[in-house]
Amino acid sequence: MHGQPRPPAPPRPNTVTAHDAVLCVEAPAMAASGPDGQLRGQGLHGFYRAGIRTLARMEVRLGGIEPMSLQGALTSAAAARFVGAVRVPGDPDPDPALTVERLRHADGAETVTVRNAGARPARLPLEIAFGTDLGLLSEIAGGQRSADLPSQVQSAGLRWAGHGRSATVTARPTPHAVLAGAGVLRWDLEVQPGARWSVELKTLLEGVPAGVRPPTGRGKGVPLPWAEAEVRCDDARAQRLLTRSLDSLGSLLIADPDRPTDLYAASGAPWRFGLTAADALWAARLTLPLGTRLAADTLRALARRQQSASTAGPAGGAAPGAAPAAAPGRPDGLIPGPMRHGGPELPPTCTATEATLLFVTVLAEAWRWGLPRHEVIELLPAVERALGALRTAVAAGPDGPEGFVLDLGRSAEERAARPGAARVEVQAQAYRAAMHGAELLAAFGRPGAAEWRSWAAALRERFRDQFWIDDLSGGRPAAALFGGGRSAPAVASTLVHLLDVGLSTDGELHNGLLDREQTRLLAQRLTAPELDCGWGLRTLSAKSPRFNPLGHRSGAVRLHETALAVAGLADAGFEREAGQLLEGLLSAAEHFEGRPPEMYAGEQRVPGCPPVPHPAACRPAALSSAAGVHLILALAGVRPDVPAGRVVVRPASTTPLGELQLTGLRVAGEPFSVRVSRIGVAVVEEASPQLQLGAG
């Protein structure tokens, strides 16, 4: 972004990976270990809070023996259970008599329980070795590992201090011995046959520097910002995906430090455990059928961070071709965001572009779902500033393909010095933002609605004329255009944004940038093997010489883009193609136990082989978790227009999930339930009496 220092880039793990770790997450806390439950101080292992590793080692030994690992798995996004067995030397029974269970929570709590199923009392010591470097996650991600700090005895536990911070671990019951030099707590156990013994451990971070406001999570007793939805259908995979996606998304909720009652979703754990505006907005948008609170909270938090020049007027009210109102050299109205890799065939882009355009859409669609009028009015100035940022990013000459939208984060001077690319997804997002912005401006008596509709119509005509590439398969959209009309050769998953046209009046959808025939050709291209690997859409065609199945933007599968394609294809009437992609995603999600990461390898699906994890993927991630919710809810085809007092239900007629029943949705703030039969007939079973019902 221009005009202020760029946010620091997210940690990019080199030697440290998370794909094989058991990750417990409850923002802003996290715990990571292998499936045996032991924290060994290696790689990512440890308890973390606010980006600081409070504990790196916690190794359990019973009678000097490390338990044999039997099982280690999440019980929820925030908790895990590990089970191990110990066979006491000299025991004549060949089966292990002792089991060790560890129940771990992301907030730093762990309970260790020893059970004796043998015929004799078990008399042996339990020792737990602790250690920590109090390191920063950003440094640990790059492979740095400092030596453990010396431990000190503290009442019922141990304490470490260094780097201006400190941490403690306490135990209940109190240990029989504390060996500070070795960092060991010891209990001398006598567990009778059929009995059990437990110790509760708690790790705490202390000594946060004065003036620093560490992030906080949702907090105990604070309700989730969405309704408790329930899905029943013939495909059990869908039920599991929805439930676990919401659980994962809930673990990423963070309270805004400027207004703790406002919650938003962190981008993902472990590498991007903070606010990335575009990801937070996507999470809010894709969960709108469950309520508008997350959208309202996220929009307010981002409006407070929006760049705004003091000299700017009502940007949204001016005509799209008017002169910029921002201070010289500083784009006005941007929602801040970090830079993002553009793949091997396109330059990097600033996520401020996606976030700023998406801000308008999220408010407009939240209003359709029932966001109260006074909350919409409060956010309209931010929408007008965002539209102003869009207006200034339209190429007007040699700095890019004329009439198309460039990176909003670059000033006019930067674009003139280094012409940019007009990306296909930015054109789709800009068109949708203009249409949604016009609807908001018109509905609330603000000037500029007609001008934005006219501008959007002109963009649609230019796009159909200049962005379409004719080839032997019938043609396809370009991934990007450069100055002089040169198109990027890439065939990429970003094309799916052309199908995401957005909710409009009376339960309808906007007309997109493509006509019907172009949409049909795009549907064929998306489901061809070059993009569809069988587990979802590759970010880059397998035919590209730059294809890499593990590349962020050069071949990996990013779940949210495939989910957008499923919903968009179904809405456009290409249900067979939507069903093909849906089946791939549901199958992949099963291999990830219903908690798919943000991306995984785009290798071709082979019978008997699961999808390959990506070593740097966040898990959980806001985008993939919200996309898992969207993937299921979108198939019911619920399209509300609460301001008009109307809701339309147009489900997929092919019913790819079989009979589908959704309860716990929210329209106009009231419960909404719908059932779709196996022949695609929808019946609304619960709705606000103020709404007029319609069906497609």
Side-chain angles (χ1 to χ4, degrees):
M1 297 182 308
H2 190 78
Q4 71 175 32
R6 294 190 192 278
R12 297 180 65 89
N14 296 320
T15 59
V16 176
T17 63
H19 68 280
D20 57 351
V22 178
L23 285 175
C24 305
V25 177
E26 186 176 72
M30 179 180 74
S33 76
D36 63 355
Q38 299 280 44
L39 305 183
R40 303 184 186 276
Q42 303 169 353
L44 192 63
H45 284 202
F47 282 101
Y48 295 80
R49 180 166 288 274
I52 298 170
R53 180 154 61 182
T54 56
L55 194 65
R57 290 192 303 111
M58 184 166 65
E59 298 175 88
V60 173
R61 287 178 174 81
L62 190 61
I65 301 172
E66 186 171 311
M68 176 178 59
S69 177
L70 300 177
Q71 186 182 68
L74 292 176
T75 56
S76 72
R81 177 177 183 259
F82 305 92
V83 179
V86 174
R87 186 173 181 273
V88 179
D91 193 334
D93 193 331
D95 300 319
L98 301 178
T99 58
V100 179
E101 179 190 63
R102 303 172 70 167
L103 299 180
R104 176 174 300 157
H105 196 278
D107 64 4
E110 182 156 333
T111 300
V112 180
T113 300
V114 179
R115 292 184 177 88
N116 182 5
R120 300 183 301 174
R123 298 181 179 90
L124 69 178
L126 172 70
E127 294 181 329
I128 307 179
F130 299 89
T132 188
D133 54 0
L134 290 176
L136 298 176
L137 176 59
S138 57
E139 298 171 352
I140 294 165
Q144 298 183 35
R145 173 69 164 101
S146 302
D148 280 354
L149 297 166
S151 57
Q152 306 166 1
V153 177
Q154 177 164 302
S155 176
L158 296 165
R159 182 177 185 273
W160 300 265
H163 315 301
R165 44 193 178 264
S166 62
T168 62
V169 61
T170 56
R172 190 176 61 181
T174 302
H176 298 142
V178 179
L179 309 177
V184 172
L185 303 183
R186 173 181 172 132
W187 294 262
D188 295 318
L189 304 187
E190 181 173 337
V191 186
Q192 297 298 320
R196 68 180 64 186
W197 180 93
S198 297
V199 58
E200 297 178 4
L201 305 165
K202 184 67 176 178
T203 305
L204 295 174
L205 175 67
E206 301 175 343
V208 178
V212 174
R213 290 188 300 176
T216 60
R218 176 165 55 96
K220 303 296 183 184
V222 177
L224 288 165
W226 51 71
E228 294 285 345
E230 184 176 338
V231 57
R232 296 178 183 176
C233 64
D234 293 338
D235 194 327
R237 298 174 301 173
Q239 297 171 275
R240 187 159 38 247
L241 178 60
L242 178 66
T243 300
R244 295 188 174 179
S245 292
L246 285 172
D247 179 47
S248 296
L249 188 60
S251 75
L252 293 171
L253 293 175
I254 288 181
D256 186 10
D258 295 329
R259 184 172 169 177
T261 55
D262 284 346
L263 301 173
Y264 53 75
S267 182
W271 316 120
R272 298 196 303 277
F273 219 160
L275 175 62
T276 299
D279 292 0
L281 284 166
W282 275 115
R285 183 187 178 209
L286 298 182
T287 55
L288 277 172
L290 305 179
T292 60
R293 185 192 160 198
L294 182 61
D297 287 1
T298 303
L299 290 166
R300 283 191 293 264
L302 295 177
R304 289 190 286 271
R305 291 161 172 78
Q306 187 182 43
Q307 291 185 25
S308 176
S310 59
T311 58
R330 178 184 180 186
D332 180 42
L334 285 177
I335 305 296
M339 294 297 292
R340 181 172 62 199
H341 181 52
E345 299 181 3
L346 288 172
T349 182
C350 183
T351 58
T353 299
E354 183 176 20
T356 303
L357 298 173
L358 192 55
F359 187 97
V360 181
T361 283
V362 172
L363 181 60
E365 292 189 338
W367 173 55
R368 297 286 180 201
W369 280 94
L371 184 66
R373 182 178 177 87
H374 70 276
E375 295 189 54
V376 178
I377 292 173
E378 174 191 352
L379 291 162
L380 283 178
V383 163
E384 292 177 319
R385 291 192 294 269
L387 291 172
L390 167 58
R391 183 190 60 226
T392 62
V394 178
D399 60 341
E402 188 168 355
F404 292 107
V405 183
L406 305 179
D407 192 338
L408 274 64
R410 303 174 68 209
S411 67
E413 293 82 0
E414 287 177 310
R415 295 202 305 268
R418 186 166 43 89
R423 300 167 190 270
V424 64
E425 71 273 21
V426 172
Q427 311 317 305
Q429 293 158 2
Y431 172 80
R432 191 181 60 216
M435 296 296 290
H436 278 143
E439 290 172 356
L440 286 169
L441 295 174
F444 290 88
R446 307 284 182 120
E451 291 85 354
W452 280 110
R453 288 195 183 97
S454 176
W455 180 84
L459 176 63
R460 183 173 62 236
E461 293 305 311
R462 282 193 299 271
F463 186 93
R464 292 179 180 180
D465 179 51
Q466 299 180 45
F467 249 86
W468 191 259
I469 299 174
D470 290 316
D471 59 21
L472 294 177
S473 65
R476 61 176 173 85
L481 285 186
F482 300 95
R486 180 172 61 91
S487 60
V491 178
S493 62
T494 51
L495 299 178
V496 304
H497 290 273
L498 293 168
L499 301 170
D500 182 18
V501 294
L503 190 60
S504 185
T505 59
D506 292 327
E508 298 294 331
L509 300 174
H510 289 124
N511 291 321
L513 290 175
L514 301 179
D515 61 27
R516 177 69 180 177
E517 176 60 15
Q518 290 172 334
T519 302
R520 184 186 69 81
L521 291 169
L522 176 58
Q524 291 180 350
R525 179 74 66 157
L526 291 175
T527 51
E530 65 171 319
L531 281 178
D532 179 15
C533 71
W535 302 117
L537 293 175
R538 300 180 173 101
T539 48
L540 184 66
S541 166
K543 293 181 178 180
S544 169
R546 309 295 296 275
F547 169 70
N548 173 4
L550 289 174
H552 286 63
R553 295 286 166 184
S554 56
V557 175
R558 301 182 71 89
L559 188 142
H560 81 285
E561 289 180 332
T562 307
L564 291 179
V566 171
L569 288 169
D571 282 334
F574 299 99
E575 295 184 5
R576 182 188 63 80
E577 292 84 352
Q580 175 182 321
L581 295 178
L582 172 65
E583 170 58 31
L585 276 193
L586 289 176
S587 297
E590 277 296 283
H591 285 288
F592 292 108
E593 299 179 342
R595 300 180 188 274
E598 63 174 331
M599 59 184 169
Y600 43 87
E603 291 188 334
Q604 191 63 40
R605 183 174 180 176
V606 176
C609 294
V612 175
H614 193 290
C618 284
R619 180 173 52 89
L623 271 175
S624 58
S625 298
V629 177
H630 179 65
L631 189 68
I632 308 305
L633 301 186
L635 294 176
V638 180
R639 302 180 189 173
D641 186 1
V642 172
R646 180 176 173 81
V647 61
V648 172
V649 182
R650 293 178 180 167
S653 61
T654 52
T655 60
L657 299 177
E659 184 172 350
L660 174 65
Q661 184 177 21
L662 292 171
T663 59
L665 307 185
R666 288 291 185 273
V667 180
E670 298 291 333
F672 188 91
S673 301
V674 61
R675 178 169 49 84
V676 181
S677 72
R678 293 184 181 90
I679 59 172
V681 176
V683 177
V684 175
E685 298 183 324
E686 184 180 22
S688 168
Q690 307 302 318
L691 292 174
Q692 178 185 353
L693 305 178

